[in-house]
Amino acid sequence: MRPLRLSVIALSAALLTARTLLAQSDPQLRQAVALAQDGNRDSALVLVRAVQAAADQSTPRYAEALYTAGILSTDPDSMRRMLQQVVVEQSLSAWADDALLRLAQLDYAGGNLPAATRDLERLRTDFPRSDVFAAAAFWAARTYFDAHQERLGCEWVGMGLARAADGSPTIRDQLQTFARRCSATALAEGSAKAPAGAPRDTVVLVSAGTVDSGRVTRDTADSGRGTRDTVPVSRPLTLDSQPSTQPESRVPRPESVFRVQVIAAGTRDQANDAVARLRALGYDAVIAEEGGFLKVRAGGFTSRSDAAAAQRRLAKDFPGAFIVKDQ
């Protein structure tokens, strides 16, 4: 039991730097994550449990608290139980796919490769549009290769590379490393089996100063933070129940536009909060509706270096901020 516990502790510590944990949208849960990063894990868990106790079990806040409590736990049984609760009891929440991926990592850390592959194959079928699909592909490939099932490992590498836009540059590099073990034919067959990702054409552009009384509308003004652009909008999204009254604008956009994603919110209130915080920092915001999430992104930069500079600044307020490239 001791080797497993050590593996779980190491896994739990590693997850504190993962995007999906650091992108917590609830302010108190963000505070808990910061406490854990500073080594105050016990205090962090107390705060998370207080949020969990105060939240209605039917709300996204409860699911987020349950997920966070599971990730912060260093006890393998507690971690597993809470992650399974998220997957089973909160299956419609924004955290269910992340929890399933963490269960797979937990099974891998414990040496239970069949259970890890079952978790990952379930993520493939139940959450095919998940934005953690590329990360899941890496772990599935790693698990199948360790189990000496090269064909299935290469299939997942091909699927992961086809969905590489879902992952970080590190994930893409790791998949490319695994790809060296596979033939071009195997990779092509895997790529053809990749489920379609979330649509990337539904966005709302929000300039600094556009948020008022809980409502977000589109604006094409230049805020001075990077180069703004107007992108095609197929289904205008607002952060309240009223339809947008702004006319749609369809003009060409630059070939490459970089943004900084700060959270993947599960509710409109969470997205609204993030937009307001970006406004206070002087940034425009893009809200992309993808895979059931409201992904809040800052700026519209024509170079990765400009986006990287913004990401470094925003990481102080949004520790999980990372750069994305518009497709």
Side-chain angles (χ1 to χ4, degrees):
M1 187 65 179
R2 182 175 176 79
L4 172 59
R5 183 172 297 275
L6 288 175
S7 296
V8 171
I9 291 173
L11 175 62
S12 178
L15 290 180
L16 285 177
T17 62
R19 175 196 62 79
T20 48
L21 179 61
L22 293 177
Q24 299 296 319
S25 54
D26 184 274
Q28 287 183 287
L29 295 177
R30 286 199 298 268
Q31 181 183 353
V33 170
L35 285 170
Q37 286 182 302
D38 290 339
N40 300 314
R41 191 180 293 265
D42 290 341
S43 298
L45 283 170
V46 169
L47 181 55
V48 171
R49 288 166 185 154
V51 172
Q52 187 178 347
D56 187 303
Q57 293 190 17
S58 64
T59 63
R61 191 175 192 231
Y62 179 86
E64 185 177 353
L66 185 61
Y67 171 81
T68 307
I71 294 300
L72 292 179
S73 176
T74 56
D75 176 73
D77 295 331
S78 296
M79 180 184 288
R80 181 180 300 280
R81 183 180 66 256
M82 286 183 279
L83 291 175
Q84 286 176 336
Q85 277 185 268
V86 175
V87 172
V88 175
E89 300 173 11
Q90 307 290 332
S91 61
L92 298 180
S93 75
W95 302 96
D97 53 344
D98 292 85
L100 193 53
L101 175 57
R102 305 313 168 201
L103 278 173
Q105 292 172 323
L106 182 60
D107 286 325
Y108 182 91
N112 191 344
L113 302 186
T117 56
R118 284 196 299 272
D119 295 333
L120 293 160
E121 293 292 354
R122 180 179 175 184
L123 190 149
R124 174 184 176 181
T125 57
D126 290 5
F127 305 98
R129 291 190 167 194
S130 169
D131 62 355
V132 299
F133 190 91
F138 163 73
W139 282 94
R142 182 175 182 177
T143 304
Y144 277 122
F145 285 144
D146 284 1
H148 306 292
Q149 299 184 58
E150 299 283 327
R151 182 185 64 81
L152 291 173
C154 289
E155 180 177 292
W156 270 98
V157 172
M159 289 191 293
L161 290 173
R163 292 282 297 277
D166 292 340
S168 67
T170 300
I171 290 294
R172 293 194 290 275
D173 289 345
Q174 290 169 329
L175 286 168
Q176 289 287 2
T177 298
F178 277 150
R180 298 170 188 167
R181 303 174 61 169
C182 307
S183 67
T185 300
L187 293 174
E189 290 175 351
S191 177
K193 293 182 179 180
R200 298 178 179 272
D201 62 343
T202 304
V203 299
V204 175
L205 300 188
V206 184
S207 71
T210 330
V211 181
D212 186 24
S213 301
R215 179 181 175 85
V216 176
T217 57
R218 294 185 291 114
D219 192 328
T220 57
D222 189 344
S223 71
R225 293 275 189 169
T227 301
R228 288 296 313 280
D229 66 289
T230 304
V231 301
V233 177
S234 59
R235 295 180 297 280
L237 171 69
T238 59
L239 296 187
D240 62 12
S241 59
Q242 304 175 25
S244 173
T245 58
Q246 297 283 341
E248 291 188 8
S249 176
R250 295 176 178 269
V251 297
R253 65 177 177 181
E255 182 177 350
S256 297
V257 176
F258 300 93
R259 308 185 192 278
V260 180
Q261 182 163 313
V262 295
I263 68 164
T267 69
R268 294 171 185 261
D269 286 344
Q270 292 169 350
N272 189 28
D273 174 68
V275 169
R277 292 169 62 200
L278 286 174
R279 168 195 169 185
L281 293 171
Y283 285 90
D284 293 349
V286 172
I287 305 164
E289 185 179 16
E290 298 175 2
F293 302 112
L294 301 176
K295 299 181 180 180
V296 181
R297 297 166 180 166
F301 306 94
T302 55
S303 72
R304 179 174 287 274
S305 60
D306 288 343
Q311 186 272 335
R312 288 191 293 271
R313 291 191 293 267
L314 286 168
K316 298 175 182 178
D317 295 272
F318 299 92
F322 64 99
I323 297 172
V324 297
K325 181 180 178 181
D326 280 0
Q327 300 299 306

